[in-house]
Amino acid sequence: MRTQSCVLLAGVTVAIGACGESVAGPAARERPAFAVQMVATCPTGANVVASDEAGLVAALSAASPGDVIGVDGMITVSADVIINVPDVTLTCARPGAGLAAHTGAGVFDVIKVLAERVTVDHLVLDGSQATDFAYAAYNDPDLPGSSARDVKFTNNRVTSSAGAFFDGATGIVADNYFEVAVCGAGIWLQGPFPRRIDGTRVERNTVVTTGPCTDPSITGNRGIRPRDGTNVVIADNIVLGPFNMSISPANLSRSVFEGNRIEGTPLFGIRFTINSQFPGQTTQMRDNVFRNNRVTGAGMAAIFARGACGNLFVGNSLQGNARDRGLTFDVLSGANTVVGNQNVVIDNGALDCNGDGILDPNVITGPGTVLRDARLGADVSEGIVMANRLR
């Protein structure tokens, strides 16, 4: 699975070459075995319905902007399903329809979106035999022909080693259910420079993992990973199970994390990380809002903030975590505000956020305990070291 853009792009290039696919999509063929009809049983009526892989490939190859392509039944695919026509919708023709990667076929991403305003909705996706994600949208300068912007991935049920991936793409991931394998990732969004995930919304998804990841070489075991953007919204999601990081943001500004429920992480529920694509940039989470989130069962602390300036934490429920630790501020933090602290906050912040040569303190109010310049203890220090390896 991909953790850095350079690795990702190399992986995509190799995968496309190995599968014999063209980034421009499948070659046009004569109209195959799919029926033209209106489908009343799924929320969006289809003007083209496909019931096998050949029919689906042909329908997408012949698609025009505005077409709605319905999937009838579970179609097993032997190669990535590429959507490279803008304004196309891929949905169910009957409830329960979807796509599954064929065992041993070398499928990389079950669905690969390369065009603008593509919608994938109300499908069952089985990516357990895919190399990477069940769904991926690309807007990557190193992937010619990719321009996935304002895409939608909604109301789908995903079982896979990894769920949904946005690579420089923008849009909406909403109302989906993801069950990802041990050491897998749920929703991963990143913006390889100069493209970003500005304005992307991740809302009302449920992300669960089937078990703990004990392999230290795995870096991508995260429930929701948003990085590289402004005005991103991560709201009302449920992240369950032993992800090493349940929500792991990096390099975001003026974004909102609200109403998320997180349970059962062995490390930190929400853990700010440093995006290693920007070495030396110590402040990468700036002016974001964390509001009304609930974190329970975290093995180290509910929230760990580093590389953080000017963020607001208000109304979060952080009870039921290790040693009542609600929030930990790393040395690389300053000028953050915590309203209504009910737990233990460790405040080691010592960062000059505005460049005036004076350290900017974090401001913490509420009846909870604040420990400043605190030794974190062996267990938390070990957890931070482990999490740093996973950044």
Side-chain angles (χ1 to χ4, degrees), residues 246-335:
S246 295
I247 297 180
S248 175
N251 200 36
L252 297 176
S253 63
R254 299 192 301 278
S255 296
V256 176
F257 295 74
E258 181 173 18
N260 300 290
R261 176 161 65 92
I262 299 168
E263 297 179 7
T265 174
L267 297 178
F268 305 95
I270 300 174
R271 206 280 186 182
F272 298 11
T273 63
I274 298 294
N275 183 353
S276 58
Q277 284 189 305
F278 302 95
Q281 183 181 331
T282 56
T283 305
Q284 295 192 2
M285 290 290 292
R286 185 181 285 272
D287 302 325
N288 302 290
V289 175
F290 293 81
R291 180 172 50 226
N292 297 332
N293 300 287
R294 187 175 74 168
V295 183
T296 58
M300 299 297 175
I303 302 174
F304 180 87
R306 72 188 302 254
C309 283
N311 300 284
L312 172 64
F313 302 83
V314 59
N316 299 293
S317 175
L318 307 179
Q319 284 77 28
N321 300 289
R323 301 185 186 178
D324 200 33
R325 293 187 185 111
L327 201 157
T328 296
F329 286 110
D330 184 64
V331 174
L332 295 178
S333 70

Side-chain angles (χ1 to χ4, degrees), residues 84-118:
N84 61 359
V85 177
D87 299 293
V88 165
T89 296
L90 184 65
T91 187
C92 61
R94 287 186 295 175
L99 308 175
H102 192 282
T103 303
V107 175
F108 195 66
D109 301 312
V110 178
I111 295 177
K112 182 183 268 98
V113 173
L114 304 178
E116 299 177 316
R117 299 177 299 279
V118 169

Side-chain angles (χ1 to χ4, degrees), residues 159-206:
T159 302
S160 187
S161 58
F165 179 68
F166 277 36
D167 186 34
T170 60
I172 296 173
V173 182
D175 301 300
N176 304 287
Y177 179 88
F178 297 90
E179 181 177 298
V180 299
V182 173
C183 296
I187 303 170
W188 191 290
L189 311 103
Q190 66 182 33
F193 186 80
R195 303 183 186 185
R196 296 158 56 87
I197 63 167
D198 295 351
T200 294
R201 304 181 71 91
V202 179
E203 300 176 298
R204 300 179 303 279
N205 301 283
T206 297

Side-chain angles (χ1 to χ4, degrees), residues 26-52:
R29 305 192 299 191
E30 292 184 1
R31 307 272 305 176
F34 55 79
V36 178
Q37 58 180 300
M38 295 302 295
V39 180
T41 54
C42 283
T44 303
N47 57 286
V48 177
V49 174
S51 58
D52 57 27

